[in-house]
């Protein structure tokens, strides 16, 4: 069919295709923003509680987090990337874990951190919490993947600049 012989519906079909693609892109964008918000809200609340400014979502750091999370998608191993950023990682069995649950889990370590001793309670972890509230850290990027074979959910947040330097207080 030549350009001159198109049906009157051709333009309407093209408009519907464009609307579908725009709506689909908007839905993906909305989902991404919701994910970022879920990761950031508990962390920025923890920072506010100790007088630290909020973290800012950084796309470059988020791309790194997504790259690493996708590497862990195969085995769901709770291993750090050893990359250039501070890093918190999370694994949960099943597939329903949310970014807010991972971030809240990290923040919950606050109860084990003793500011005056600058250490964790004996036998407990608090490094996820101290990375979140680290004074020098300004940017964050995070990612969530469902591991192959529904072996769980792996999530990571990366922090720039990194924190948790031995002998230094987080705030």
């Amino acid at each position: 069919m030549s350009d001159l012989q198109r049906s009157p519906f051709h333009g309407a079909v093209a408009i519907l295709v464009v609307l579908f693609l725009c709506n689909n892109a908007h839905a993906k964008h909305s989902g991404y923003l919701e994910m970022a918000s879920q990761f950031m809200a508990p962390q920025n609340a923890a920072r506010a509680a100790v007088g630290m400014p909020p973290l800012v979502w950084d796309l470059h750091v988020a791309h790194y987090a997504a790259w690493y999370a996708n590497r862990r998608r195969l085995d769901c191993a709770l291993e750090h990337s050893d990359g250039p950023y501070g890093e918190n990682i999370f694994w949960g069995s099943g597939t329903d874990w949310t970014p807010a649950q991972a971030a809240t889990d990290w923040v919950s370590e606050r109860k084990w951190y003793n500011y005056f001793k600058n250490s964790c309670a004996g036998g407990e972890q608090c490094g996820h919490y101290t990375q979140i509230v680290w004074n020098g850290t300004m940017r964050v990027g995070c990612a969530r993947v469902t591991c192959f074979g529904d072996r769980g959910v792996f999530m990571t947040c990366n922090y720039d600049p990194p924190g948790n330097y031995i002998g230094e207080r987080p705030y």
Side-chain angles (χ1 to χ4, degrees), residues 15-38:
I15 290 170
L16 288 173
V17 169
V18 169
L19 288 174
F20 171 78
L21 292 174
C22 288
N23 283 338
N24 195 25
H26 176 70
K28 285 181 183 177
H29 183 67
S30 295
Y32 181 78
L33 292 177
E34 173 64 22
M35 181 200 66
S37 177
Q38 281 194 36

Side-chain angles (χ1 to χ4, degrees), residues 34-84:
E34 173 64 22
M35 181 200 66
S37 177
Q38 281 194 36
F39 273 119
M40 290 183 65
Q43 296 185 79
N44 281 335
R47 291 178 65 84
V50 293
M52 292 294 101
L55 296 171
V56 175
W57 188 263
D58 184 280
L59 287 175
H60 183 73
V61 179
H63 283 293
Y64 179 85
W67 168 80
Y68 187 65
N70 279 302
R71 287 194 58 204
R72 292 278 63 96
R73 176 177 254 157
L74 294 172
D75 60 11
C76 225
L78 204 53
E79 296 175 10
H80 285 281
S81 69
D82 297 323

